[in-house]
């Protein structure tokens, strides 16, 4: 359909091209061939009399006009989706959607298995794709997950939420410490002196940055830990605690799961950490998507049950 000489289908291509800044990735997202996607870019350039994407080194960068138009195009597409989805009546039992959720492996341990079981019970046709928190391009995990990675929902620590996206508190937890149960030096507890003197097992991103809540809080207090082992996964931490005199600072619910599988002692942290609140966020244009609204409700229900049991 054309409106004022523009094929409106090109707006979908515009959004994909500007979000990905790559013709090949946009083609994958649009389920088109690369030549067809390149042709769409050419037609957009002709209509707007602007290159829209320009080569800068090894990647494409948006022009000033393209950057100005992108939020307006996203808003127009969001309104279109709301109009299309408005009359849809959602039935979980017959749903065959794929939901993509981004969260830390802490949540994949303590919450998402229960979510998966509930989906299998009430919506057996639903598929779930779980992705770890991405490295943010500009410090913003939420927009990286929702705009660039095209995920349906993302769960982030409260300090990393993006106020531009809809949000709801999902889950709260406290930090604690775990040590090897066979280490006599920790038999009576874990003092602040013990904590500072011990080697620690910590979670880091692949580039060496430690953005975990405990690391950020300790840095603010001016406390430097001796890092013995740095891992990219919370789930592997106990493997490097057992049989050693190392200490790890983890969430209480996760520590309880670890202690059922490994010879560990759980102690309160020897200094006060703030409560860890996890926030559920999604893209504004998906607020009225009936399937995703139901899925977000299911996440909240399962988190509430976890809070009640914990």
């Amino acid at each position: 359909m054309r409106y004022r000489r523009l094929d409106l289908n090109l707006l979908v291509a515009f959004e994909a091209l500007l979000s990905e800044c790559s013709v090949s990735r946009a083609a994958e997202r649009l389920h088109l061939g690369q030549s067809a996607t390149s042709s769409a870019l050419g037609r957009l350039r002709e209509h707007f009399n602007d290159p829209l994407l320009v080569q800068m080194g090894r990647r494409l960068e948006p022009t000033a006009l393209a950057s100005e138009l992108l939020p307006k195009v996203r808003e127009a597409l969001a309104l279109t989706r709301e109009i299309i989805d408005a009359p849809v009546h959602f039935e979980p039992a017959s749903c065959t959607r794929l939901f993509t959720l981004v969260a830390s492996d802490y949540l994949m341990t303590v919450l998402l298995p229960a979510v998966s079981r509930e989906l299998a019970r009430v919506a057996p046709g639903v598929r779930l794709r779980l992705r770890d928190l991405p490295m943010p391009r500009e410090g913003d995990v939420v927009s990286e997950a929702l705009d660039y990675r095209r995920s349906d929902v993302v769960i982030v620590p409260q300090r990393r939420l993006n106020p531009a996206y809809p949000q709801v508190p999902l889950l709260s937890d406290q930090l604690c410490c775990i040590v090897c149960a066979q280490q006599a030096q920790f038999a009576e507890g874990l003092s602040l002196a013990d904590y500072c003197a011990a080697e620690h097992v910590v979670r880091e991103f692949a580039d060496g940055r430690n953005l975990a809540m405990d690391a950020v809080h300790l840095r603010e207090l001016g406390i430097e830990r001796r890092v013995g082992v740095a891992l990219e996964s919370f789930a592997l931490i106990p493997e490097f605690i057992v049989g050693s005199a190392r200490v790890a600072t983890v969430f209480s619910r996760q520590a309880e799961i670890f202690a059922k599988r490994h010879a560990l002692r759980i102690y309160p942290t020897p200094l006060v950490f703030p409560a860890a609140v996890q926030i559920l966020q999604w893209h504004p244009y998906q607020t009225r998507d009936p399937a995703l609204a139901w899925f977000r409700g299911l996440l909240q229900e399962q988190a509430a049950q976890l809070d009640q049991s914990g």
Side-chain angles (χ1 to χ4, degrees):
M1 176 182 175
R2 290 185 175 273
Y3 182 74
R4 295 191 176 182
R5 295 176 287 109
L6 176 67
D7 181 351
L8 296 183
N9 290 317
L10 289 175
L11 294 181
V12 178
F14 179 97
E15 196 272 339
L17 285 159
L18 270 294
S19 294
E20 299 293 344
C21 288
S22 165
V23 173
S24 59
R25 290 198 300 272
E28 289 177 9
R29 207 165 106 184
L30 294 166
H31 304 289
L32 294 174
Q34 193 160 330
S35 61
T37 307
S38 294
S39 175
L41 177 58
R43 292 163 65 194
L44 285 163
R45 285 169 166 168
E46 181 180 356
H47 178 83
F48 289 109
N49 193 27
D50 186 271
L52 300 177
L53 287 169
V54 293
Q55 195 76 38
M56 299 288 287
R58 302 181 68 179
R59 62 174 279 121
L60 294 172
E61 295 287 348
T63 64
L65 177 63
S67 296
E68 179 185 347
L69 290 174
L70 181 57
K72 297 176 182 178
V73 170
R74 283 179 174 155
E75 185 177 352
L77 292 176
L79 181 58
T80 302
R81 291 185 186 97
E82 283 191 17
I83 293 169
I84 293 170
D85 291 337
V88 175
H89 177 66
F90 178 69
E91 290 288 349
S94 58
C95 180
T96 57
R97 286 273 293 268
L98 168 65
F99 295 128
T100 300
L101 184 151
V102 173
S104 69
D105 61 334
Y106 155 70
L107 286 158
M108 293 187 195
T109 300
V110 304
L111 173 64
L112 298 180
V115 170
S116 177
R117 289 190 292 271
E118 185 65 7
L119 282 173
R121 187 181 71 84
V122 300
V126 165
R127 293 163 293 143
L128 195 58
R129 178 187 291 140
L130 303 178
R131 292 174 173 165
D132 197 4
L133 292 174
M135 282 300 302
R137 302 185 190 199
E138 298 178 357
D140 182 6
V141 173
V142 176
S143 64
E144 179 72 23
L146 298 177
D147 281 323
Y148 293 102
R149 306 294 176 93
R150 309 302 296 175
S151 304
D152 294 308
V153 294
V154 59
I155 305 172
V156 293
Q158 188 170 33
R159 71 179 188 283
R160 300 181 73 181
L161 70 83
N162 185 327
Y165 296 78
Q167 60 186 270
V168 63
L170 189 67
L171 190 66
S172 181
D173 206 344
Q174 296 288 335
L175 287 170
C176 65
C177 291
I178 55 173
V179 298
C180 177
Q182 276 82 45
Q183 290 294 318
Q185 69 195 78
F186 299 133
E188 301 301 321
L190 181 70
S191 67
L192 182 57
D194 294 333
Y195 186 84
C196 293
E199 279 195 346
H200 288 253
V201 181
V202 301
R203 183 187 189 274
E204 287 184 351
F205 278 103
D207 69 346
R209 282 194 285 172
N210 191 337
L211 303 177
M213 190 185 86
D214 57 320
V216 173
H217 187 64
L218 289 171
R219 195 178 304 134
E220 291 171 350
L221 295 176
I223 296 175
E224 190 74 29
R225 287 182 295 191
R226 294 174 53 220
V227 177
V229 180
L231 303 165
E232 290 184 45
S233 169
F234 283 118
L236 293 174
I237 286 177
E239 304 288 348
F240 295 86
I241 294 292
V242 172
S244 78
R246 299 186 187 108
V247 175
T249 307
V250 298
F251 294 108
S252 295
R253 289 191 178 92
Q254 203 169 31
E256 292 168 5
I257 294 172
F258 291 159
K260 292 176 182 177
R261 304 170 182 170
H262 303 273
L264 299 171
R265 285 196 179 96
I266 302 174
Y267 288 127
T269 56
L271 66 163
V272 176
F273 286 93
V277 179
Q278 302 288 332
I279 305 295
L280 175 65
Q281 296 202 261
W282 59 94
H283 207 286
Y285 78 73
Q286 292 179 313
T287 295
R288 294 183 60 184
D289 181 317
L292 286 172
W294 173 83
F295 180 58
R296 294 193 300 268
L298 184 142
L299 288 169
Q300 292 175 262
E301 290 171 6
Q302 293 301 308
Q305 290 184 25
L306 192 60
D307 269 335
Q308 291 169 6
S309 63

